[in-house]
């Protein structure tokens, strides 16, 4: 079987099911595991990685009012790799190549191809996607074992937090400029991890948050997780937050409970590692209940002093990596 994955989370699922040798192509964003980087790259993006949050928002806004996609598929390479199964998505036209564009591109291939669109909006559906990929690739036994393992980890967190009486108000920041509150599976993860999401609604898209509304909500804990941003890229932009009125007065900032996490690895991609994201949140939100759940280089704690000076401390220096 020849598999093309145009979705990073699907690529992770393919490898988790032991199908790495049958993966013949990936998207430009598929970077995990490392072996995925060796596969032919079938897509390109018009979004530069050097753009800041507000610039990306501007480009995306223009895209939403035009007929042009943010992405391109290499038709010649698509014909060369000649996939039997194509994994894509329809959840977000900004995050990855939409299924409609994939279907159009697949018309150049001879014969019928199996195109699987993955569109989860909660943790349960993420696990169902693993089974969906297994169904078309004949890896049902492997999927069952993987899903059961992930379910046990989710349940361990949920059981530990089920009786907590103090649930801090949490703001999961999916975008910095403009401010967006994370949606889909993130509010569910916050709830399971023992917190109360200030803005997000489970299963819904991310939502804009006016600055005055953030001030009024007074979150006790802020997790900065811009969609697609690794920690280093996020740290390059957080200076803008400190310049905003009353940022330093927010309870989370004042008490030193602001964190930057590796978003594509553990939060924005709905693959197996999102369960590790749940464990990271559990450790951050309820540190008295959890320990040793933060992998190396997956989270950074930020501290601002009264002069707005920023100091970051790598969480991996304080907490043992997940084993």
């Amino acid at each position: 079987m020849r598999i093309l994955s145009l979705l990073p989370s699907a690529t992770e699922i393919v490898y988790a099911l032991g199908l790495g040798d049958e993966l013949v192509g990936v998207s430009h964003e598929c970077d995990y595991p490392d072996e995925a980087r060796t596969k032919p790259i079938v897509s390109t993006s018009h979004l530069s990685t050097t753009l800041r949050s507000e610039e990306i928002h501007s480009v995306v806004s223009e895209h939403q009012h035009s007929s042009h996609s943010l992405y391109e598929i290499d038709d010649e390479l698509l014909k060369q790799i000649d996939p039997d199964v194509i994994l894509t998505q329809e959840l977000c036209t900004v995050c990855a190549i939409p299924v409609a564009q994939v279907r159009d591109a697949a018309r150049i291939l001879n014969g019928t191809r199996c195109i699987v669109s993955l569109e989860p909006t909660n943790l349960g559906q993420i696990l169902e996607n693993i089974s969906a990929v297994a169904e078309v690739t004949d890896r049902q036994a492997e999927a069952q074992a993987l899903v059961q393992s992930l379910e046990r980890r989710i349940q361990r967190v949920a059981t530990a937090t089920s009786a907590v009486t103090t649930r801090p108000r949490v703001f999961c920041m999916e975008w910095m400029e403009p401010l967006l509150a994370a949606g889909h599976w993130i509010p569910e993860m916050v709830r399971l991890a023992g917190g109360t999401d200030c803005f997000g609604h489970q299963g819904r898209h991310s939502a804009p948050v006016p600055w005055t509304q953030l001030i009024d909500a007074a979150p006790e804990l802020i997790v900065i997780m811009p969609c697609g941003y690794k920690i280093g890229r996020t740290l390059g932009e957080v200076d803008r937050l400190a310049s905003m009125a009353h940022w330093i007065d927010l309870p989370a900032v004042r008490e030193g409970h602001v964190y930057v996490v590796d978003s594509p690895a553990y939060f924005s991609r709905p693959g197996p590692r999102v369960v590790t994201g749940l464990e990271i949140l559990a450790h951050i939100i309820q540190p008295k209940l959890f320990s040793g759940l933060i992998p190396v280089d997956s989270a950074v704690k930020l501290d601002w002093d009264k002069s707005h000076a920023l100091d970051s401390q790598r969480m991996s220096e304080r907490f043992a990596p997940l084993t």
Side-chain angles (χ1 to χ4, degrees):
M1 180 176 294
R2 301 171 63 80
I3 304 170
L4 166 61
S5 173
L6 296 173
L7 191 63
S9 57
T11 298
E12 295 187 26
I13 292 172
V14 166
Y15 278 98
L17 295 177
L19 293 163
D21 289 343
E22 298 181 47
L23 187 67
V24 295
V26 296
S27 79
H28 58 286
E29 294 182 316
C30 296
D31 57 7
Y32 184 87
D34 287 339
E35 186 182 343
R37 300 172 186 263
T38 68
K39 303 294 183 177
I41 299 174
V42 180
S43 66
T44 56
S45 172
H46 295 298
L47 284 175
S48 171
T49 57
T50 62
L51 297 178
R52 291 177 67 93
S53 295
E54 68 274 17
E55 295 170 323
I56 293 175
H57 178 72
S58 178
V59 172
V60 169
S61 297
E62 293 174 3
H63 154 75
Q64 290 175 338
H65 295 87
S66 72
S67 60
H68 299 289
S69 172
L70 290 170
Y71 305 100
E72 290 186 8
I73 295 175
D74 186 330
D75 291 341
E76 289 303 315
L77 183 54
L78 179 61
K79 287 192 289 187
Q80 289 177 26
I81 64 174
D82 194 26
D84 303 305
V85 174
I86 304 175
L87 304 176
T88 183
Q89 61 90 45
E90 199 170 12
L91 186 65
C92 178
T93 60
V94 175
C95 296
I97 303 171
V99 65
Q101 185 179 355
V102 174
R103 290 196 179 105
D104 286 341
R107 291 174 181 171
I108 66 173
L109 302 174
N110 294 322
T112 302
R113 309 300 158 132
C114 178
I115 299 177
V116 180
S117 180
L118 306 178
E119 309 162 22
T121 60
N122 57 48
L123 291 179
Q125 290 175 359
I126 292 174
L127 301 186
E128 289 172 3
N129 279 353
I130 295 174
S131 299
V133 174
E135 187 68 27
V136 299
T137 57
D138 196 24
R139 284 293 195 277
Q140 291 90 338
E142 291 83 352
Q144 182 178 16
L146 175 58
V147 168
Q148 288 177 346
S149 173
L150 296 173
E151 287 176 334
R152 285 194 295 269
R153 290 167 61 189
I154 293 171
Q155 189 57 48
R156 279 199 294 268
V157 171
T159 299
T161 63
S162 61
V164 296
T165 56
T166 301
R167 290 178 169 266
R169 299 185 304 279
V170 181
F171 173 36
C172 289
M173 189 186 301
E174 188 177 283
W175 205 246
M176 288 182 283
E177 196 165 346
L179 282 183
L180 293 180
H184 296 310
W185 46 88
I186 298 298
E188 178 184 10
M189 292 168 66
V190 170
R191 175 178 56 80
L192 292 174
T196 300
D197 196 301
C198 288
F199 303 108
H201 298 281
Q202 180 176 326
R204 300 183 187 177
H205 290 288
S206 57
V209 178
W211 190 261
T212 54
Q213 190 174 339
L214 173 63
I215 301 302
D216 291 341
E220 299 167 276
L221 194 150
I222 296 174
V223 184
I224 306 175
M225 51 173 69
C227 184
Y229 272 38
K230 303 293 283 185
I231 288 176
R233 189 175 180 184
T234 303
L235 291 177
E237 296 193 30
V238 293
D239 57 310
R240 296 285 187 92
L241 296 173
S243 67
M244 301 298 291
H246 302 295
W247 168 259
I248 202 71
D249 299 320
L250 290 171
V253 180
R254 190 172 59 244
E255 300 300 323
H257 296 309
V258 181
Y259 305 86
V260 172
V261 294
D262 186 338
S263 180
Y266 304 109
F267 296 95
S268 60
R269 296 177 179 176
R273 289 190 296 168
V274 79
V275 175
T276 303
L278 170 63
E279 294 167 337
I280 292 171
L281 280 181
H283 194 154
I284 289 174
I285 296 172
Q286 296 288 347
K288 293 182 180 180
L289 294 179
F290 301 96
S291 63
L293 296 182
I294 299 182
V296 173
D297 295 329
S298 65
V300 172
K301 184 178 182 180
L302 306 182
D303 288 300
W304 280 268
D305 63 24
K306 296 274 185 197
S307 65
H308 292 197
L310 172 65
D311 175 55
S312 64
Q313 179 179 9
R314 290 197 176 277
M315 297 286 287
S316 57
E317 294 175 357
R318 303 177 59 213
F319 301 113
L322 180 67
T323 56

